[in-house]
Amino acid sequence: MRIRRVPSPPRMARFHIPAPALPSPRLRGRGWRSWRGPRTWAGVDRRPPSVRRGRSRPATAATTSVGAQPGTHTEPLGSSADPGPYPRSSPCTMDWQPDEQGLQQVLQLLKDSQSPNTATQRIVQDKLKQLNQFPDFNNYLIFVLTRLKSEDEPTRSLSGLILKNNVKAHYQSFPPPVADFIKQECLNNIGDASSLIRATIGILITTIASKGELQMWPELLPQLCNLLNSEDYNTCEGAFGALQKICEDSSELLDSDALNRPLNIMIPKFLQFFKHCSPKIRSHAIACVNQFIMDRAQALMDNIDTFIEHLFALAVDDDPEVRKNVCRALVMLLEVRIDRLIPHMHSIIQYMLQRTQDHDENVALEACEFWLTLAEQPICKEVLASHLVQLIPILVNGMKYSEIDIILLKGDVEEDEAVPDSEQDIKPRFHKSRTVTLPHEAERPDGSEDAEDDDDDDALSDWNLRKCSAAALDVLANVFREELLPHLLPLLKGLLFHPEWVVKESGILVLGAIAEGCMQGMVPYLPELIPHLIQCLSDKKALVRSIACWTLSRYAHWVVSQPPDMHLKPLMTELLKRILDGNKRVQEAACSAFATLEEEACTELVPYLSYILDTLVFAFGKYQHKNLLILYDAIGTLADSVGHHLNQPEYIQKLMPPLIQKWNELKDEDKDLFPLLECLSSVATALQSGFLPYCEPVYQRCVTLVQKTLAQAMMYTQHPEQYEAPDKDFMIVALDLLSGLAEGLGGHVEQLVARSNIMTLLFQCMQDSMPEVRQSSFALLGDLTKACFIHVKPCIAEFMPILGTNLNPEFISVCNNATWAIGEICMQMGAEMQPYVQMVLNNLVEIINRPNTPKTLLENTAITIGRLGYVCPQEVAPMLQQFIRPWCTSLRNIRDNEEKDSAFRGICMMIGVNPGGVVQDFIFFCDAVASWVSPKDDLRDMFYKILHGFKDQVGEENWQQFSEQFPPLLKERLAAFYGV
């Protein structure tokens, strides 16, 4: 059986609380701070290293056009166009002076660019294009920035930012005298009296440095380091600001032989300034050194004890920026040099407890990261257990909405469903390609494994103390489990029944945060708590209703394990009401929570399908843009969960018209197609023949999307200066929907394939440079192989070498789907597979023996090796000894199904050809055989013959000794089923 993960509007797979705390759409993936869906959040690194070590700079001309106002769209600066009239100045020399007329022209342009008028903006853009034809235009820009002190600071800074943009776009084409003049002016004026101008010059310096100029500007670092010694504060601060930006942008280069390892001088120099009298300088110094912690720069490691000593000395600094950087340093050191912190751990924990309550929220947030990082360390339980009594109340207190949160979230607005969404409400989302997995014993397939590397990080501004506190509580609950509850339960009761809604809401969040880690300990309280939470779904405050949706979704597994009338039915009824709530935030949270409930309940929902579909279809006419995307996810998940039970005329008549109406409304280039295509893929698979009336236009459009994207990609490859790179997500989603059609319609898809060029397109997609395209291509190849092999077979000679080269576990999902497709092709080709065995077998054997290979890939690899052996036993059996042990352990937990059946037939046939290959690992084969609940009679006979053949060969006495090693359960099963 094949299970797809086709994630729709982002949902999360571990802990995820609602946006500053509201549940949002879910990610069918495991992303920590993807606060885009109340699913769950994974407690790995909260921020990517580039962000964690980066800084927040003001929007500059690199990201916004000069003078751009909200709602205006202007071209970026620095692009070329036909030159216009422009007064030429004297030749570019180091004593360059501007032409007065030209200077006035540039100043006027800078003034105009600050105008909110759109027409003026257009004129400015055109003029900039003209002026950029003249290399010494950049001299004018640096002159205004550094020398024209009579001008106002915003105009001077803007001049620098336009220059920075030009440097970024085409510094390589600057004539050497112009480049030298700019660099000299930067260094001569880094100590400008204005902090804005100093910062702008610093940004300009690091932009030049990042264009490969650190090697070509040998005097830069020595001069900046010398300027740190200046007694003039502005000069010292300006040089430090520039150095901090260089450290952030070029940290690896600074620790390389290419520059003769300047860090050996810079790190000790920075450490001297930890005791400087100016807090701004102290803060710069720590921030510079912090850039090199995560990469374990040798120069820092050589001075690590001095660094830590200096940090401790600054622990109670009066300046919040200094305290924030101290906390950040300690959090990173906890990750990379915990050995140096262990002797001081008690004091550090006490310090972080204080800082997590710092009156400056930025400091408190940095300190709160400490608990997230500590939870990942093996020593966490040992060093933190005695501090939980202090820590838990602090974290719980940090989970309340702040006043600013409530203002930003419009927490006082209860009904906003009629207000259209603005474009910035709808964050970009990315399609996640199909991955093939297998169902396991004692669990429903939930596809969680293939989601583990999904890290969909939202804007850092969304990350706040409330979320960080909740995340910390979640990961600590996973470390301490039930030991956390004595510290929490006394607090929880007061919170959950508190008259103030803000406090009550935080209590519901706490309950959701501990759901995963403390589930066992919470079970006795859930019969009382779940009804209370269901009641909270009707609270008069929208933020309470939304968090209740999310927390209930965290306990969905337990709800479904109880008799349906007890909790499932009341929860489902209330969640469906909330899906039609008058508040958009609640709609979003309810839709996401219901999708989670669908995954847990699966066919338990079948009796209520009519009511569920009525609600979801009614929401089509009610929802604004953003929530519509989440609604697609809920419908797709419903289809995945109830499967063929959806294939009833009554249900199809309710569901398909609104979906097809949306399908017809959307243009081919509209990204809203992504979630709709994903949804239709699930629906097509579930409806099977019920989708036939809709399949032709859907199929044709998918083929067109693939064809268009491939054509755009080819044009871009041939003429990158004329064409934009296409968004390949369109192609990926289309391939996945074609897979859904092939899987759902089976043989009915044959005529559609016959009338299209899909096999030619598939051949191109399988060789695409983007892994996700190849991943979806191989999924479609496998589905077409099952549905209409007549069209695949003529292409096998071309396809097999491509499949063989993609058996590369560096790209796990691509490798997984290629492996699965090979297995499906084996079953269709039979003995004709023989010429292709050697193309793939060695790679498959290598993958199954590779340490730390994900479970899904191991299982698919074992199935495919078994199937290869089934159709070509003579070719595969000689290698039996190299893979039999991992093969058996990979498949022992798979449920009985057709794929497992064919793989075990293959292994039996290979043992028949090469019985010596299994002798050393025969106990593993016995264990794998015992994993079958009810094999088909002829397969059971094959097992019987192999077991008895082995027993007869070794003799009764040796068999007795051998079977003594068996665990009691294995011994019982083999005796009962096979008489050995």
Side-chain angles (χ1 to χ4, degrees):
M1 177 185 170
R2 170 158 192 235
I3 297 148
R4 311 190 314 280
R5 292 301 290 168
V6 195
S8 270
R11 320 183 232 171
M12 304 215 32
R14 255 189 83 209
F15 185 63
H16 166 133
I17 62 170
L22 130 100
S24 307
R26 311 173 307 150
L27 243 190
R28 295 197 198 179
R30 205 187 284 273
W32 202 142
R33 298 210 351 256
S34 141
W35 296 102
R36 293 185 44 195
R39 254 329 265 271
T40 52
W41 72 50
V44 234
D45 191 9
R46 275 72 52 202
R47 320 180 208 171
S50 59
V51 175
R52 170 176 268 189
R53 299 198 298 269
R55 76 265 178 204
S56 168
R57 292 187 190 154
T60 68
T63 50
T64 55
S65 307
V66 174
Q69 298 296 316
T72 66
H73 298 283
T74 50
E75 294 299 312
L77 301 173
S79 50
S80 58
D82 293 335
Y86 184 66
R88 297 308 300 255
S89 60
S90 55
C92 298
T93 61
M94 298 313 271
D95 56 351
W96 181 89
Q97 289 298 318
D99 173 281
E100 187 55 38
Q101 187 187 348
L103 183 60
Q104 290 310 313
Q105 199 177 342
V106 170
L107 286 172
Q108 188 56 49
L109 187 72
L110 292 168
K111 302 284 185 200
D112 290 346
S113 68
Q114 296 171 65
S115 162
N117 184 288
T118 310
T120 309
Q121 283 290 315
R122 283 204 198 93
I123 295 166
V124 167
Q125 293 304 316
D126 293 342
K127 193 70 180 166
L128 276 169
K129 285 179 181 177
Q130 292 173 12
L131 295 181
N132 268 313
Q133 298 298 302
F134 299 93
D136 61 350
F137 172 48
N138 294 303
N139 284 5
Y140 282 84
L141 293 173
I142 190 71
F143 185 89
V144 173
L145 174 66
T146 58
R147 305 246 192 121
L148 221 55
K149 318 259 174 167
S150 56
E151 278 301 320
D152 61 83
E153 289 179 15
T155 300
R156 291 173 63 198
S157 175
L158 186 55
S159 182
L161 294 177
I162 294 173
L163 175 56
K164 183 213 83 162
N165 219 41
N166 288 347
V167 165
K168 214 168 179 182
H170 34 244
Y171 183 75
Q172 264 63 37
S173 61
F174 283 20
V178 172
D180 291 343
F181 181 60
I182 292 169
K183 291 196 284 194
Q184 179 184 297
E185 285 297 295
C186 283
L187 284 174
N188 289 347
N189 293 279
I190 193 71
D192 192 280
S194 157
S195 61
L196 176 63
I197 301 304
R198 293 197 300 274
T200 308
I201 292 172
I203 290 172
L204 185 53
I205 286 173
T206 193
T207 307
I208 295 170
S210 68
K211 300 300 286 186
E213 284 294 299
L214 263 182
Q215 292 98 316
M216 308 297 289
W217 195 357
E219 68 274 22
L220 173 63
L221 293 174
Q223 281 203 33
L224 288 176
C225 284
N226 284 336
L227 290 173
L228 297 181
N229 299 325
S230 170
E231 291 186 9
D232 175 57
Y233 167 79
N234 291 336
T235 303
C236 178
E237 195 279 327
F240 239 134
L243 280 166
Q244 184 178 335
K245 294 176 183 84
I246 292 167
C247 291
E248 288 164 355
D249 290 345
S250 307
S251 62
E252 287 182 25
L253 191 56
L254 291 172
D255 193 30
S256 69
D257 290 329
L259 291 180
N260 206 14
R261 302 200 176 271
L263 278 194
N264 293 340
I265 295 162
M266 291 165 71
I267 295 282
K269 182 90 175 170
F270 295 153
L271 289 172
Q272 292 170 16
F273 286 85
F274 276 42
K275 295 175 181 172
H276 195 276
C277 60
S278 158
K280 189 79 187 281
I281 303 294
R282 294 198 297 275
S283 182
H284 276 315
I286 308 168
C288 282
V289 178
N290 281 359
Q291 296 307 317
F292 304 100
I293 297 175
M294 296 306 289
D295 293 330
R296 301 169 189 260
Q298 192 55 49
L300 177 55
M301 294 302 112
D302 292 343
N303 291 276
I304 195 74
D305 291 329
T306 309
F307 175 46
I308 291 170
E309 194 182 306
H310 284 27
L311 285 175
F312 289 168
L314 291 173
V316 288
D317 198 282
D318 292 337
D319 185 75
E321 197 63 24
V322 172
R323 295 198 302 276
K324 186 179 92 173
N325 280 325
V326 169
C327 289
R328 183 174 291 181
L330 289 170
V331 170
M332 289 191 280
L333 286 168
L334 189 61
E335 220 165 308
V336 298
R337 287 309 302 264
I338 193 169
D339 56 310
R340 285 293 193 268
L341 298 188
I342 285 173
H344 315 283
M345 194 55 80
H346 176 77
S347 305
I348 293 171
I349 287 171
Q350 285 300 322
Y351 173 68
M352 286 300 189
L353 287 167
Q354 290 171 16
R355 291 287 70 82
T356 308
Q357 302 170 84
D358 200 286
H359 56 83
D360 185 297
E361 186 172 329
N362 292 321
V363 178
L365 178 56
E366 282 298 337
C368 197
E369 296 266 4
F370 180 84
W371 314 114
L372 282 166
T373 304
L374 183 58
E376 292 159 17
Q377 308 305 319
I379 62 158
C380 176
K381 209 164 182 179
E382 178 191 337
V383 299
L384 197 54
S386 60
H387 301 277
L388 287 179
V389 66
Q390 293 167 278
L391 175 59
I392 298 305
I394 292 170
L395 292 178
V396 167
N397 192 50
M399 288 164 73
K400 287 203 295 280
Y401 275 126
S402 66
E403 287 180 23
I404 191 76
D405 284 339
I406 296 168
I407 294 165
L408 289 171
L409 286 170
K410 302 189 179 80
D412 55 338
V413 176
E414 291 304 318
E415 292 219 4
D416 61 356
E417 66 176 350
V419 181
D421 295 328
S422 63
E423 279 310 302
Q424 56 263 42
D425 287 340
I426 302 153
K427 300 200 171 75
R429 56 172 306 284
F430 305 96
H431 174 72
K432 196 167 189 306
S433 310
R434 282 164 76 105
T435 304
V436 187
T437 59
L438 295 163
H440 293 83
E441 286 298 342
E443 62 181 76
R444 263 194 321 284
D446 66 0
S448 59
E449 186 177 332
D450 64 323
E452 64 200 0
D453 55 3
D454 200 296
D455 190 4
D456 185 76
D457 230 37
D458 271 358
L460 275 179
S461 57
D462 287 348
W463 184 240
N464 58 18
L465 184 60
R466 167 185 164 88
K467 290 178 182 174
C468 193
S469 301
L473 188 60
D474 169 53
V475 291
L476 290 171
N478 275 285
V479 172
F480 286 94
R481 302 285 171 182
E482 285 66 46
E483 293 169 41
L484 212 61
L485 292 179
H487 305 288
L488 254 180
L489 290 175
L491 299 172
L492 253 181
K493 191 154 190 180
L495 297 173
L496 288 171
F497 298 92
H498 200 280
E500 280 184 50
W501 77 265
V502 175
V503 180
K504 177 180 175 179
E505 194 278 346
S506 72
I508 299 171
L509 172 57
V510 168
L511 198 55
I514 61 169
E516 186 179 286
C518 300
M519 180 61 85
Q520 286 310 109
M522 288 305 296
V523 164
Y525 307 99
L526 292 181
E528 184 186 344
L529 283 173
I530 295 299
H532 176 67
L533 288 172
I534 292 173
Q535 208 176 333
C536 291
L537 290 174
S538 307
D539 195 275
K540 65 178 192 293
K541 294 302 290 186
L543 290 173
V544 173
R545 298 198 298 279
S546 66
I547 200 66
C549 289
W550 175 75
T551 293
L552 280 161
S553 76
R554 299 272 286 169
Y555 290 95
H557 185 75
W558 181 84
V559 167
V560 170
S561 72
Q562 305 301 300
D565 286 348
M566 196 174 288
H567 301 296
L568 175 60
K569 205 170 169 185
L571 173 57
M572 184 186 68
T573 307
E574 286 304 312
L575 272 181
L576 289 170
K577 286 182 193 169
R578 294 289 66 80
I579 283 174
L580 303 180
D581 198 276
N583 182 279
K584 291 193 286 188
R585 203 175 288 281
V586 179
Q587 293 171 0
E588 181 183 3
C591 236
S592 285
F594 194 74
T596 302
L597 186 65
E598 288 169 340
E599 287 183 329
E600 291 292 346
C602 286
T603 50
E604 295 274 342
L605 297 178
V606 171
Y608 317 108
L609 267 176
S610 185
Y611 178 39
I612 292 169
L613 287 170
D614 284 341
T615 303
L616 297 180
V617 169
F618 189 81
F620 262 110
K622 188 179 174 76
Y623 277 15
Q624 298 295 336
H625 186 182
K626 179 185 176 187
N627 286 352
L628 204 52
L629 307 184
I630 299 156
L631 182 60
Y632 294 145
D633 181 42
I635 292 169
T637 307
L638 179 67
D640 289 339
S641 301
V642 300
H644 66 89
H645 296 285
L646 203 56
N647 187 8
Q648 298 291 334
E650 175 202 351
Y651 302 151
I652 293 169
Q653 194 47 49
K654 287 181 186 208
L655 182 58
M656 289 310 298
L659 284 175
I660 294 298
Q661 185 188 338
K662 293 293 177 190
W663 168 266
N664 291 330
E665 286 171 8
L666 294 176
K667 296 186 171 68
D668 279 356
E669 51 281 353
D670 192 327
K671 291 192 177 181
D672 284 3
L673 270 177
F674 296 169
L676 180 54
L677 283 162
E678 291 168 354
C679 170
L680 281 170
S681 178
S682 295
V683 170
T685 306
L687 291 186
Q688 299 173 355
S689 59
F691 199 78
L692 274 173
Y694 311 96
C695 66
E696 188 151 1
V698 172
Y699 179 91
Q700 291 302 343
R701 188 171 190 181
C702 287
V703 172
T704 304
L705 282 169
V706 174
Q707 196 157 337
K708 271 188 183 177
T709 311
L710 285 171
Q712 287 169 351
M714 187 177 290
M715 288 190 294
Y716 172 72
T717 304
Q718 292 169 353
H719 306 286
E721 70 291 343
Q722 289 179 32
Y723 297 99
E724 283 189 13
D727 184 344
K728 290 187 179 176
D729 267 3
F730 284 103
M731 178 159 68
I732 295 166
V733 191
L735 290 167
D736 284 352
L737 178 43
L738 289 170
S739 276
L741 288 173
E743 189 178 347
L745 299 175
H748 295 295
V749 85
E750 188 273 325
Q751 288 187 332
L752 296 171
V753 174
R755 294 198 297 268
S756 71
N757 61 340
I758 188 63
M759 300 314 297
T760 309
L761 299 176
L762 194 54
F763 181 64
Q764 291 173 256
C765 293
M766 286 164 58
Q767 298 174 82
D768 196 272
S769 58
M770 189 175 179
E772 291 83 356
V773 176
R774 302 199 302 278
Q775 177 183 333
S776 291
S777 305
F778 296 138
L780 176 55
L781 175 61
D783 281 318
L784 290 175
T785 297
K786 292 171 78 171
C788 54
F789 189 63
I790 186 172
H791 297 296
V792 177
K793 191 171 183 182
C795 311
I796 288 297
E798 289 176 307
F799 285 1
M800 284 307 300
I802 299 170
L803 286 163
T805 57
N806 279 277
L807 296 177
N808 172 9
E810 293 305 311
F811 299 101
I812 285 171
S813 297
V814 179
C815 183
N816 183 72
N817 285 6
T819 303
W820 175 77
I822 293 166
E824 293 300 334
I825 290 167
C826 283
M827 298 309 290
Q828 300 291 338
M829 289 284 282
E832 292 178 70
M833 193 71 187
Q834 189 265 330
Y836 308 108
V837 171
Q838 295 314 316
M839 280 183 195
V840 298
L841 183 58
N842 287 333
N843 284 345
L844 292 169
V845 172
E846 193 177 318
I847 291 164
I848 205 167
N849 283 292
R850 196 168 177 261
N852 304 318
T853 301
K855 190 171 62 171
T856 300
L857 179 54
L858 280 177
E859 290 162 358
N860 273 318
T861 304
I863 295 279
T864 297
I865 290 173
R867 288 179 156 190
L868 273 172
Y870 180 52
V871 296
C872 300
Q874 297 293 338
E875 284 71 24
V876 184
M879 294 187 76
L880 188 59
Q881 193 171 344
Q882 294 180 42
F883 61 75
I884 185 67
R885 181 185 291 198
W887 191 95
C888 292
T889 53
S890 299
L891 294 187
R892 65 184 302 278
N893 295 320
I894 301 294
R895 271 193 259 160
D896 295 6
N897 62 25
E898 287 301 318
E899 292 178 318
K900 184 173 178 178
D901 180 279
S902 57
F904 271 83
R905 288 174 191 276
I907 212 78
C908 289
M909 292 175 76
M910 288 186 273
I911 290 171
V913 173
N914 177 20
V918 76
V919 170
Q920 281 185 313
D921 297 302
F922 197 70
I923 188 170
F924 292 93
F925 175 73
C926 295
D927 182 51
V929 165
S931 73
W932 278 89
V933 178
S934 52
K936 290 178 182 170
D937 290 344
D938 59 334
L939 180 60
R940 188 192 296 271
D941 288 344
M942 293 167 89
F943 294 156
Y944 184 92
K945 283 173 185 167
I946 292 171
L947 292 168
H948 279 272
F950 186 85
K951 182 181 176 183
D952 294 345
Q953 194 173 352
V954 298
E956 186 67 38
E957 193 179 332
N958 286 335
W959 174 261
Q960 285 305 324
Q961 285 180 354
F962 173 68
S963 61
E964 286 304 315
Q965 306 168 54
F966 293 177
L969 189 61
L970 173 58
K971 208 169 182 179
E972 278 173 38
R973 284 182 77 96
L974 290 178
F977 286 99
Y978 302 101
V980 290

